[in-house]
């Protein structure tokens, strides 16, 4: 009998979306408990569901797991989407960690309350054109090229956690980020139009960020 999964997260994509993508990618049933921001203060003190007073959390037959990276790693491993061996997992982990570094740079601007919207747009452009950003994307593309000359996925012949993390992070920012990386652009489109995810992505209505 399959476990009963309940994913608790805000009604945005944010840190809970890769877990959702993993569920939909494998067609595994789960309760997508999307909590409105205005309802969150009255629920966050429930330590049986939110041990750290934060989300996402994943309930697995009533047992609660915290921390988005731990949740996605667990689901990817459980669903067979975390590589076939240690070498493949090494590539996936490098992709995920490099994307995390980029996201931290982007999020620094997003969280900066001293900037208005126009100033943030300019700051985002600066992040996109940094040599450090180009280096990260070039490195990720070089990992993609190791498998099927870059015309498939990061490892193997189907979607794994690395592809989903890549698709998710690039979806949170402007697509111009990938303008000079055609193989990464192709990968983004490949995941977007995959038979596993297209139906879900076509019907998705929750916004990327607050």
């Amino acid at each position: 009998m399959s476990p009963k999964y309940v994913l608790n997260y805000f009604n945005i994509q944010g840190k809970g979306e890769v877990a959702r993508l993993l569920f939909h990618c494998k067609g595994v049933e789960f309760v997508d408990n999307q909590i409105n921001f205005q309802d969150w203060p009255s629920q966050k003190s429930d330590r049986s569901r939110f041990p750290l007073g934060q989300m996402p959390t994943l309930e697995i037959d009533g047992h609660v797991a915290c921390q988005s990276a731990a949740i996605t790693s667990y689901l990817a491993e459980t669903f067979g989407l975390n590589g076939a061996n240690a070498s493949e997992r090494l590539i996936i982990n490098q992709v995920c960690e490099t994307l995390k570094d980029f996201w931290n740079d982007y999020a620094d601007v997003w969280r900066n309350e001293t900037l208005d919207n126009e100033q943030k747009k300019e700051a985002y452009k600066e992040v996109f054109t940094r040599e450090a950003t180009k280096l990260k994307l070039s490195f990720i593309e070089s990992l993609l090229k190791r498998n099927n000359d870059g015309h498939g996925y990061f490892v193997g012949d189907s979607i794994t956690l690395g592809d989903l993390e890549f698709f998710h992070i690039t979806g949170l920012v402007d697509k111009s980020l990938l303008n000079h990386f055609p193989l990464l652009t192709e990968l983004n489109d490949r995941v977007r139009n995959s038979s596993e995810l297209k139906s879900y992505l076509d019907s998705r209505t929750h916004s990327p960020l607050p």
Side-chain angles (χ1 to χ4, degrees):
M1 185 175 178
S2 299
K4 179 182 178 181
Y5 295 108
V6 179
L7 180 68
N8 301 301
Y9 191 60
F10 296 111
N11 55 340
I12 59 170
Q13 294 171 34
K15 290 186 175 183
E17 192 65 13
V18 175
R20 294 183 184 120
L21 292 172
L22 286 161
F23 279 117
H24 285 285
C25 191
K26 293 301 289 186
V28 175
E29 186 175 342
F30 76 110
V31 176
D32 187 3
N33 182 33
Q34 297 188 16
I35 298 174
N36 293 324
F37 282 90
Q38 59 265 35
D39 295 333
W40 172 234
S42 65
Q43 297 189 41
K44 69 183 297 184
S45 61
D46 182 355
R47 292 294 180 259
S48 66
R49 298 170 64 211
F50 311 110
L52 298 175
Q54 63 188 36
M55 294 192 288
T57 63
L58 178 66
E59 299 174 39
I60 311 163
D61 286 337
H63 299 283
V64 178
C66 303
Q67 302 291 2
S68 57
I71 289 168
T72 55
S73 179
Y74 168 81
L75 292 176
E77 195 70 31
T78 301
F79 298 162
L81 296 175
N82 201 29
N85 51 53
S87 295
E88 289 191 355
R89 283 188 287 278
L90 177 61
I91 291 175
I92 292 170
N93 288 338
Q94 288 178 88
V95 170
C96 293
E97 289 299 311
T98 303
L99 287 166
K100 185 188 299 182
D101 288 344
F102 165 74
W103 175 250
N104 287 338
D105 292 341
Y106 183 90
D108 284 344
V109 175
W110 177 62
R111 296 190 189 102
N112 190 336
E113 296 180 356
T114 68
L115 303 178
D116 62 29
N117 288 338
E118 287 304 314
Q119 290 172 321
K120 283 187 177 183
K121 286 180 182 178
E122 291 304 312
Y124 289 141
K125 288 179 184 178
E126 191 275 326
V127 171
F128 291 172
T129 56
R130 284 178 190 169
E131 287 304 313
T133 299
K134 294 176 184 177
L135 179 63
K136 291 179 178 70
L137 291 172
S138 295
F139 174 65
I140 291 174
E141 192 169 66
S142 74
L143 294 176
L144 181 63
K145 286 179 182 177
R146 293 185 190 180
N147 187 40
N148 197 31
D149 293 325
H151 297 292
Y153 301 97
F154 284 111
V155 299
D157 57 6
S158 59
I159 292 171
T160 65
L161 176 60
D163 306 295
L164 295 179
E165 288 279 5
F166 167 78
F167 175 78
H168 171 59
I169 293 297
T170 55
L172 292 180
V173 303
D174 194 284
K175 286 189 71 174
S176 64
L177 174 69
L178 302 179
N179 279 351
H180 302 294
F181 300 90
L183 291 178
L184 294 181
T185 299
E186 286 180 21
L187 175 61
N188 193 299
D189 293 339
R190 194 174 299 121
V191 174
R192 173 66 181 81
N193 295 299
S194 64
S195 59
E196 298 95 333
L197 292 172
K198 190 175 189 308
S199 177
Y200 167 64
L201 294 173
D202 284 347
S203 63
R204 185 170 65 175
T205 58
H206 46 287
S207 63
L209 295 167

